[in-house]
Amino acid sequence: MEITGIQLEISDSVTDFEYRSYGEELTLCKRYYHYYYGNSAMHPGRTISSNRLDIAYHFPVELRTDPTLEATDIGQVYVADQSAFNPSNPTIAAVHISTDGLVIRRTCSETVGANKVCTGQILYLRISAEL
């Protein structure tokens, strides 16, 4: 027995069956969960105090609601007029969260100075906008 073309609806009326391509369905799924493996990709940012920096990350599709950051790993940081370094004792938090992206705030033991251009390697992110 084989059954195909089923559509469930919460309604008293019937609508036409929706045919979506694999790409459309995948894009719709990405609105709920996003796993990013950056493999050392660089993302723009700036230092905001003597030991904190913000790194921007934009989602590939708009999420259905403001997400939560489930996990992250950030590698080297490059700050203008300084050598690249791997921050020691970092704490990481998501700030300025929206359906389009978020800013990853990284606090570290090193002194980086305020208001400098920087970039950071985002290695892994798990972002959830589940129901």
Side-chain angles (χ1 to χ4, degrees):
M1 178 182 218
E2 186 175 306
I3 299 174
T4 62
I6 294 176
Q7 177 173 295
L8 302 176
E9 298 188 22
I10 301 174
S11 176
D12 291 336
S13 60
V14 178
T15 61
D16 292 337
F17 187 79
E18 295 178 56
Y19 292 93
R20 294 186 189 140
S21 69
Y22 176 81
E24 286 176 292
E25 201 66 43
L26 181 59
T27 299
L28 290 171
C29 290
K30 286 181 179 179
R31 297 178 318 139
Y32 292 88
Y33 184 82
H34 178 62
Y35 174 76
Y36 175 75
Y37 173 65
N39 196 20
S40 301
M42 299 305 296
H43 297 270
R46 71 177 183 95
T47 61
I48 58 169
S49 70
S50 63
N51 68 337
R52 289 189 307 176
L53 52 103
D54 284 355
I55 299 171
Y57 180 76
H58 298 279
F59 306 133
V61 299
E62 185 175 345
L63 301 181
R64 57 169 283 289
T65 188
D66 290 351
T68 57
L69 181 64
E70 292 182 348
T72 184
D73 185 15
I74 300 177
Q76 284 195 326
V77 173
Y78 301 86
V79 178
D81 302 325
Q82 292 182 357
S83 299
F85 66 95
N86 282 321
S88 56
N89 304 317
T91 59
I92 298 169
V95 296
H96 307 295
I97 300 168
S98 74
T99 57
D100 294 327
L102 53 78
V103 171
I104 298 170
R105 179 160 291 161
R106 187 169 191 178
T107 304
C108 55
S109 298
E110 292 78 13
T111 300
V112 293
N115 295 316
K116 292 185 178 183
V117 174
C118 70
T119 56
Q121 295 173 315
I122 298 177
L123 304 177
Y124 304 98
L125 291 176
R126 282 198 311 258
I127 297 156
S128 177
E130 292 289 333
L131 297 173

